[in-house]
Amino acid sequence: MATEVRGVVATGAGRPVETTTVRVPDPGSGEALVRVQACGVCHTDLHYREGGVSTDFPFLLGHEAAGVVEAVGSDVTDLDVGDFVVLNWRAVCGRCRACLRGRPQYCFDTHNAAQPMTLADGTPLSPALGIGAFAERTLVHSGQCTRVDPSASPVVAGLLGCGVMAGFGAAVNTGGVGPGDSVAVIGCGGVGDGAVLGAAAVGARRVIAVDKDPRKLEWAREFGATHTVNAAETDTVEGIRAATGGVGADVVVEAVGSPNTYEQAFYARDLAGTVVLVGVPTPDMRLDLPFLDVFARGGALKSSWYGDCLPSRDFPALVEMSLQGRLPLEKFVTERIGLDEVEQAFDRMSRGEVLRSVVVL
């Protein structure tokens, strides 16, 4: 028997979102019903609303969430009703060639719930990133539920579901940042500040934040940036080199997703340094680099998928670090809002006025 809840739906490209009735089925094989307690407003949700991810409207938006398991399918053995979970959008299969090689963070066959959630009239909904958590309840694959310490605030824990984990993991998992390294992060929104936080947390010697917005640079300092470069006033490459004794950073995280800033990241690293792309480009973008420079500068050019995280390993660890006061995740939360305020939150996010708006249910 389906449950009727309120949810935020995008009905067409560029149209304002609507809060409407959503029908959520009882969990079937491999599925879990989760009562959502908090869900961050991520830029990816805005991409969905604009039709930039897919045109499979209508979308049930929201994916950066935490909540409590209310029911599970009959064959689910690794979750219990009442578990406090962070939702993840890469539920590993355990059987694909990546998983069998011991690299489940690259799983090529991730799982989502099989049953569709629908509008009241039966129209199937496409859940954002397979989650759809701007709703009082959502149906996901059980593997998308990662148990964490229930003493954590849902508002804080849910941030690990996307942006913070993507940035933190880009620096630590993909970039391999460690004690004594110099790190530059280009683009200091939620993902970029996650990278700043990750680099600082593992002991990077220099953490250089780059952005055009002075407000974002101040936010980055709160997460551990030791240096800042205002890209509206200073050449990014020269600014990073000046902060690293003229040699460039060991790791440069590009959190914008632009060919221009990627080229800056390429030249702002030290010889044999690493570039990590975590910003998401659009399909029309092209990159033009001298091939000889790609060879001569050495090092590594990497892309980071979801911070190359393994939710079962990383979510509980980062929640524990937060509870110990070692990760100030609460600083990402600019405002707490209701379901009916998501459209306005998109506007504030587009203007750069917030780091994270979080829907609290």
Side-chain angles (χ1 to χ4, degrees):
M1 179 178 176
T3 302
E4 291 195 346
V5 301
R6 292 191 312 142
V8 176
V9 174
T11 59
R15 297 179 190 169
V17 299
E18 302 175 5
T19 304
T20 188
T21 299
V22 173
R23 301 184 78 240
V24 184
D26 290 339
S29 176
E31 296 174 338
L33 177 68
V34 176
R35 175 169 56 85
V36 179
Q37 295 177 308
C39 184
V41 181
C42 177
H43 210 279
T44 301
D45 293 304
L46 181 57
H47 283 321
Y48 271 103
R49 194 203 70 173
E50 296 300 301
V53 177
S54 164
T55 57
D56 195 16
F57 291 95
F59 292 110
L60 176 59
L61 300 181
H63 60 278
E64 191 179 80
V68 174
V69 176
E70 285 201 337
V72 297
S74 58
D75 60 342
V76 174
T77 59
D78 55 350
L79 278 180
D80 295 313
V81 172
D83 282 346
F84 176 58
V85 296
V86 176
L87 300 183
N88 74 79
W89 43 270
R90 288 184 60 79
V92 302
C93 71
R95 299 184 300 275
C96 72
R97 59 191 186 279
C99 288
L100 293 177
R101 292 177 67 196
R103 301 173 182 174
Q105 68 270 29
Y106 300 132
C107 179
F108 302 141
D109 189 24
T110 56
H111 294 316
N112 295 319
Q115 299 181 89
M117 294 178 278
T118 70
L119 295 174
D121 64 4
T123 301
L125 290 164
S126 301
L129 291 177
I131 292 180
F134 285 155
E136 293 162 330
R137 287 168 180 78
T138 190
L139 185 73
V140 295
H141 190 278
S142 62
Q144 293 179 274
C145 299
T146 303
R147 282 184 291 202
V148 298
D149 191 324
S151 62
S153 162
V155 172
V156 170
L159 298 173
L160 299 175
C162 189
V164 172
M165 187 70 255
F168 191 103
V172 177
N173 295 335
T174 314
V177 173
D181 285 343
S182 59
V183 182
V185 179
I186 302 177
C188 295
V191 173
D193 279 343
V196 169
L197 178 63
V202 297
R205 180 165 51 100
R206 290 189 183 93
V207 183
I208 306 150
V210 182
D211 205 285
K212 293 182 177 180
D213 187 339
R215 176 172 38 194
K216 291 184 178 180
L217 294 176
E218 285 304 311
W219 287 338
R221 283 195 178 276
E222 293 184 21
F223 293 109
T226 59
H227 300 71
T228 60
V229 176
N230 186 328
E233 301 172 351
T234 303
D235 179 81
T236 294
V237 176
E238 292 305 316
I240 293 172
R241 289 190 174 277
T244 55
V247 299
D250 298 310
V251 178
V252 183
V253 177
E254 200 277 8
V256 178
S258 160
N260 180 53
T261 47
Y262 187 89
E263 183 176 346
Q264 292 170 347
F266 180 84
Y267 288 110
R269 65 192 171 121
D270 197 357
L271 288 174
T274 298
V275 174
V276 177
L277 174 64
V278 68
V280 182
T282 58
D284 59 304
M285 291 179 176
R286 297 291 183 270
L287 181 67
D288 184 6
L289 286 172
F291 203 17
L292 180 60
D293 285 358
V294 174
F295 169 77
R297 297 189 63 81
L301 308 178
K302 297 182 175 183
S303 296
S304 185
W305 301 346
Y306 204 2
D308 289 342
C309 79
L310 189 58
S312 60
R313 174 196 67 200
D314 294 338
F315 288 6
L318 296 189
V319 165
E320 184 62 29
M321 290 175 70
S322 174
L323 291 172
Q324 292 171 357
R326 296 162 58 197
L327 284 185
L329 297 180
E330 66 284 349
K331 291 184 178 180
F332 283 92
V333 182
T334 308
E335 61 177 2
R336 303 181 184 208
I337 62 173
L339 276 176
D340 295 331
E341 300 174 84
V342 169
E343 184 66 29
Q344 292 77 17
F346 282 152
D347 291 339
R348 290 190 289 274
M349 180 175 62
S350 297
R351 293 193 297 266
E353 296 174 0
V354 296
L355 193 52
R356 239 346 162 249
S357 303
V358 179
V359 174
V360 179
L361 296 99

